[in-house]
Amino acid sequence: MSEQATDMLFDLTLEEEQRITRESMQRFAEVEMGSVSRSADEAAEAPAGFYDKTVELGFSLMPIPEDLGGVGMPRSPLSNMLNAEDLAAGDMSLAIGALTPLSFINAVLDNGTAAQIEKYLPRFVAEEFHAATIALMEPRATFDPNDLQTTAKKSGDGYLIKGTKSMVALGDSSELVLVIAELEGEGPAGFVIEQGTRGLTCTKEEYMGLRPLQLSRLVFADVEVSSADRLGHGEKKFDLQRLVDLGRIGLCAMSVGVCQQVLDYVIEYCNTRVAFDEPITNRQSVAFMIGDMATETEAMRMMVYRAASRAEQGLEFHKEAYLAHIQCAKYAMETGTNGVQLLGGHGFIRDHPVELWYRNLRAVGLLDGCVIV
Amino acid sequence: MKILVTAKRVVDANVNVRVLSDNSGVDINNVKMAVNPFDEIAIEEAVRIREAGNAEEVVVASIGPTQCKEQIRTALALGADRGIFVETDADIQPLAVAKLLKALVDKENPDLIILGKQAIDGDNIQTGQMLAALAGLPQATFASEILLADGEATVTREIDGGMETITVKTPAVITADLRLNEPRYASLPNIMKAKKKSIDTYTPEELGVDVTPRLTTLKVEPPSDRQAGVIVADVEELVDKLKNEAKVI
């Protein structure tokens, strides 16, 4: 087999640890997240104590070095991706919220110096939840991560950050914010800023979906940041493309988890919903629609798994992540829409979860830099 | 103190099982398997006893085909310290399980044995009781609370019509009921730690136990489909229907 052919393949067999982890995550998702999904959406916030419960699962501990109190496991995009899929099956907003600190941690591990890792990460080994987030997106129609309008300008010993970021997960409760800005003459760079720093203001944004996630707008009005808080700090080059690609894998995995929920729900519903004296799945228009949803969801899953598998192996995965994102953005929305459609009038009723899934899945094509696996 | 617990491999509680077309049993091919939920409660209780400082070691046993190691590994991720796997492809019935566990009790000399009150596949509710009889140990079944002190276990039992509290001398066999505790979720760090824990493997022959089945399954049938219900106008009509149609009162 040629080398080219070999690296096209990937193995779908789970490691023993991954199997046990999936069982644990799936149960957590069902019991602790699925049960509060609706009430969290109504309240537009996570239930009290929810994020502390997620700390017990130990996501953040895993990649943090042992001498800082973590487990010091090698970073596994594949295992992180599986967690994202399984947790999102419980509730997508709460899943993103639970994994937002890990995204911050992963970005610091990828791009930070040893001193920065030691400075920012110890707080995440605590027993209670500490929020930290990444501010990448900007509020305009044609946002492109490679064309940032938030700028960083050299100023004395440090930098001045100016610009507006939007859709920042847990924006209001994060203690640390990794803001991605265009550094004059050098390209994109990451800066870690403490919440409450002068010139930084946060306001909650209102969206149709992901309501408990408290997506926020952060305005940076000439926020001062020291050069020590610039990720990489002269030692490493900040790799924005990798961050964006890993974020796409995470978000796409979540869309797979939600789409599978939609699919399982409509199959059960349509098999038991009787019209004209027979289950509506006996109608071709219904059966074909479900068949297409199952096919596309599986295609989404395979594309995300492949991108994650390549990332895990240290291979180039930009194209795979990009294609997976195109597939997921398109079919997550379509699956969400069809989920509502297949329930007919019932799809419009909030007693059924399909409208909630529909609203959340609309975000798959929009969010960037959220769930860094 | 050492605690022996079990982790039976059963069909996952969320799976809708189907009866095989020849009525010889249920189809478990390509079906998700899991630790028996009552065993999981037993494991959790043992781990909590150890965490409270009242035990040093939790040993988990499973009996069956090679794949049972998965359930042992899950139990290790939930906090058990060491595994024992009894490998056999034979159809293992409650008496054989009790005999195998008795052999393990002789080998390990645990101070407490906590099992699930029943497995959700066979629903036999026999193993714990048989083990206690074979090993000559006191038993406290259907436990919803366990308190340990001075070589005794005070156990609240869920019985028909209410609760009963009994005290047994340890070593003893306790079987776990649903309300004993709520099992934790295996955390990622503990799942990694489980990888390094040891599992000893035995065969029934090595343990000197004859596992030949004593019972024969004649036929397995699915429950009949539920009939559509009716809405009754008032209590009189309900009583009338129960009396004259359903003939249950």
Side-chain angles (χ1 to χ4, degrees):
Chain A
M1 208 180 277
S2 70
E3 206 183 310
Q4 174 70 26
T6 310
D7 81 3
M8 297 294 285
L9 293 173
F10 65 107
D11 186 2
L12 290 170
T13 317
L14 295 179
E15 301 280 340
E16 177 94 52
E17 302 85 68
Q18 288 169 339
R19 180 190 59 76
I20 300 174
T21 306
R22 292 205 79 170
E23 283 176 17
S24 194
M25 294 300 144
Q26 286 167 0
R27 189 157 66 92
F28 185 87
E30 187 188 336
V31 178
E32 308 289 346
M33 300 170 80
S35 58
V36 297
S37 181
R38 171 61 70 185
S39 58
D41 179 66
E42 301 280 354
E45 64 181 348
F50 170 76
Y51 288 128
D52 283 337
K53 267 189 215 163
T54 68
V55 173
E56 292 168 27
L57 296 173
F59 308 114
S60 299
L61 282 180
M62 295 301 278
I64 295 179
E66 273 180 288
D67 53 6
L68 300 179
V71 178
M73 285 301 293
R75 168 82 171 285
S76 173
L78 205 52
S79 297
N80 289 335
M81 173 211 68
L82 292 171
N83 291 343
E85 178 184 342
D86 289 336
L87 292 178
D91 182 81
M92 190 165 156
S93 307
L94 298 177
I96 295 177
L99 294 179
T100 293
L102 179 66
S103 298
F104 175 89
I105 292 165
N106 284 338
V108 169
L109 288 168
D110 275 350
N111 298 290
T113 63
Q116 288 169 334
I117 288 169
E118 203 172 322
K119 179 177 176 188
Y120 306 130
L121 302 195
R123 73 180 71 203
F124 298 104
V125 304
E127 281 176 16
E128 66 280 6
F129 185 79
H130 287 272
T133 190
I134 299 174
L136 171 66
M137 308 229 358
E138 294 173 354
R140 61 177 189 278
T142 55
F143 172 72
D144 172 358
N146 295 309
D147 177 25
L148 297 172
Q149 290 181 5
T150 301
T151 58
K153 212 164 61 183
K154 196 103 184 83
S155 158
D157 194 25
Y159 301 89
L160 284 179
I161 313 286
K162 191 181 174 69
T164 304
K165 294 291 186 181
S166 66
M167 298 192 94
V168 180
L170 302 183
D172 57 339
S173 58
S174 285
E175 298 163 22
L176 296 172
V177 179
L178 169 58
V179 55
I180 319 292
E182 182 75 15
L183 178 57
E184 250 182 356
E186 292 195 50
F191 301 87
V192 178
I193 295 176
E194 295 252 2
Q195 188 79 270
T197 301
R198 199 150 61 90
L200 169 58
T201 49
C202 172
T203 47
K204 194 172 171 247
E205 295 173 318
E206 293 291 343
Y207 292 103
M208 71 183 274
L210 301 180
R211 294 181 55 77
L213 188 54
Q214 307 219 317
L215 289 165
S216 304
R217 177 165 302 203
L218 298 185
V219 177
F220 299 82
D222 285 327
V223 174
E224 283 180 42
V225 46
S226 80
S227 58
D229 290 323
R230 176 183 164 193
L231 274 195
H233 192 41
E235 291 175 30
K236 279 183 177 172
K237 188 165 163 41
F238 183 77
D239 193 343
L240 177 60
Q241 193 58 60
R242 179 177 161 81
L243 182 134
V244 169
D245 290 339
L246 289 170
R248 285 180 176 153
I249 291 176
L251 190 69
C252 288
M254 291 203 166
S255 70
V256 172
V258 180
C259 285
Q260 189 63 53
Q261 288 293 100
V262 176
L263 191 57
D264 293 346
Y265 196 86
V266 298
I267 289 173
E268 171 77 24
Y269 179 90
C270 295
N271 273 334
T272 47
R273 171 83 174 150
V274 173
F276 312 108
D277 296 328
E278 58 180 1
I280 59 171
T281 32
N282 287 4
R283 305 274 147 181
Q284 281 195 338
S285 59
V286 170
F288 287 171
M289 192 180 262
I290 294 175
D292 287 344
M293 287 164 73
T295 311
E296 296 304 345
T297 301
E298 195 62 14
M300 286 162 62
R301 180 178 282 123
M302 289 304 113
M303 292 177 81
V304 184
Y305 281 19
R306 191 161 118 79
S309 164
R310 291 184 64 89
E312 177 97 359
Q313 295 171 62
L315 299 170
E316 178 59 47
F317 64 99
H318 169 63
K319 184 184 86 181
E320 286 77 10
Y322 190 79
L323 295 181
H325 190 226
I326 291 177
Q327 169 79 9
C328 291
K330 180 173 179 191
Y331 288 102
M333 283 200 267
E334 194 172 304
T335 301
T337 307
N338 290 347
V340 175
Q341 179 64 32
L342 282 164
L343 265 69
H346 282 171
F348 198 60
I349 299 175
R350 284 167 86 96
D351 282 353
H352 290 281
V354 284
E355 64 85 29
L356 170 56
W357 291 327
Y358 163 81
R359 287 187 283 116
N360 287 344
L361 285 171
R362 295 295 301 192
V364 174
L366 298 172
L367 279 178
D368 254 323
C370 227
V371 192
I372 314 298
V373 292
Chain B
M1 188 161 118
K2 188 198 277 187
I3 306 177
L4 179 68
V5 294
T6 49
K8 183 176 183 184
R9 178 181 172 86
V10 299
V11 173
D12 187 273
N14 292 322
V15 172
N16 277 327
V17 288
R18 287 176 195 203
V19 171
L20 291 165
S21 53
D22 64 356
N23 294 105
S24 62
V26 295
D27 187 4
I28 56 165
N29 282 321
N30 294 320
V31 164
K32 192 175 171 226
M33 304 296 278
V35 175
N36 173 32
F38 290 109
D39 282 346
E40 221 175 321
I41 295 170
I43 295 161
E44 174 69 26
E45 191 67 15
V47 171
R48 286 188 191 183
I49 291 171
R50 191 202 55 207
E51 285 172 348
N54 293 325
E56 287 77 47
E57 193 183 30
V58 177
V59 182
V60 57
S62 192
I63 301 166
T66 312
Q67 296 91 317
C68 291
K69 276 194 188 163
E70 291 177 5
Q71 280 60 50
I72 296 181
R73 203 55 82 182
T74 302
L76 295 174
L78 289 168
D81 300 291
R82 181 159 64 82
I84 298 178
F85 171 43
V86 181
E87 185 165 18
T88 171
D89 288 324
D91 171 30
I92 299 289
Q93 296 176 346
L95 181 60
V97 175
K99 285 179 178 175
L100 289 167
L101 291 177
K102 156 76 167 62
L104 295 181
V105 167
D106 290 343
K107 225 177 204 1
E108 293 284 338
N109 290 312
D111 304 281
L112 200 60
I113 301 135
I114 312 180
L115 318 177
K117 68 164 181 171
Q118 68 194 81
I120 61 162
D121 49 2
D123 283 327
N124 292 301
I125 325 187
Q126 295 175 0
T127 303
Q129 293 86 334
M130 285 179 174
L131 171 62
L134 289 171
L137 296 174
Q139 58 176 293
T141 51
F142 317 133
S144 64
E145 191 181 17
I146 302 174
L147 297 170
L148 295 172
D150 308 324
E152 287 185 338
T154 304
V155 178
T156 305
R157 305 180 59 225
E158 299 212 350
I159 55 170
D160 290 347
M163 304 285 211
E164 178 189 50
T165 303
I166 62 168
T167 301
V168 290
K169 286 210 160 53
T170 57
V173 177
I174 298 176
T175 70
D177 212 324
L178 192 64
R179 275 162 287 272
L180 182 57
N181 59 50
E182 263 185 54
R184 70 193 64 192
Y185 303 97
S187 74
L188 301 181
N190 286 340
I191 291 168
M192 298 315 293
K193 279 184 210 152
K195 218 174 154 181
K196 300 194 183 93
K197 295 176 180 173
S198 71
I199 300 176
D200 295 327
T201 303
Y202 300 101
T203 61
E205 294 74 43
E206 283 168 352
L207 295 171
V209 175
D210 175 14
V211 296
T212 314
R214 308 293 179 92
L215 307 169
T216 313
T217 302
L218 299 179
K219 203 177 183 188
V220 177
E221 287 181 320
S224 53
D225 284 336
R226 210 173 136 189
Q227 302 295 315
V230 287
I231 295 174
V232 292
D234 48 34
V235 177
E236 277 90 64
E237 193 187 341
L238 174 66
V239 172
D240 178 61
K241 277 183 183 293
L242 289 174
K243 210 173 208 165
N244 300 318
E245 269 182 46
K247 297 195 190 333
V248 291
I249 53 172

